[in-house]
Amino acid sequence: MKNRLKVLRAERDWSQADLAERLSVSRQSVNAIETGKYDPSLPLAFRIAGLFDMAIEEIFLEK
């Protein structure tokens, strides 16, 4: 699944580790989501959307 996570993170000057800490996941998980190797669970997708104050559909896009 494509996503805008890397762009949104960069706009805030957050490292992958910063984002991971805010989401209570590992940096490796953030990297895997950003590169499309891993699709987040629905609860994690909601946490990501809430953190960026966006709808899930604004962050995650179908390929």
Side-chain angles (χ1 to χ4, degrees):
M1 170 180 334
K2 290 185 180 181
N3 66 74
R4 299 178 51 220
L5 198 54
K6 186 174 184 176
V7 171
L8 295 169
R9 178 177 60 77
E11 287 174 353
R12 289 157 180 79
D13 282 330
W14 292 348
S15 67
Q16 287 183 343
D18 293 332
L19 179 57
E21 185 176 330
R22 286 173 167 84
L23 295 171
S24 299
V25 299
S26 69
R27 185 202 57 78
Q28 291 86 351
S29 293
V30 170
N31 179 268
I33 294 168
E34 285 185 355
T35 58
K37 294 178 183 173
Y38 170 74
D39 292 335
S41 65
L42 194 52
L44 179 53
F46 272 106
R47 288 202 317 266
I48 293 168
L51 181 63
F52 290 106
D53 197 29
M54 300 176 81
I56 290 174
E57 298 87 350
E58 293 177 287
I59 300 172
F60 297 97
L61 315 163
E62 289 187 61
K63 283 188 178 178

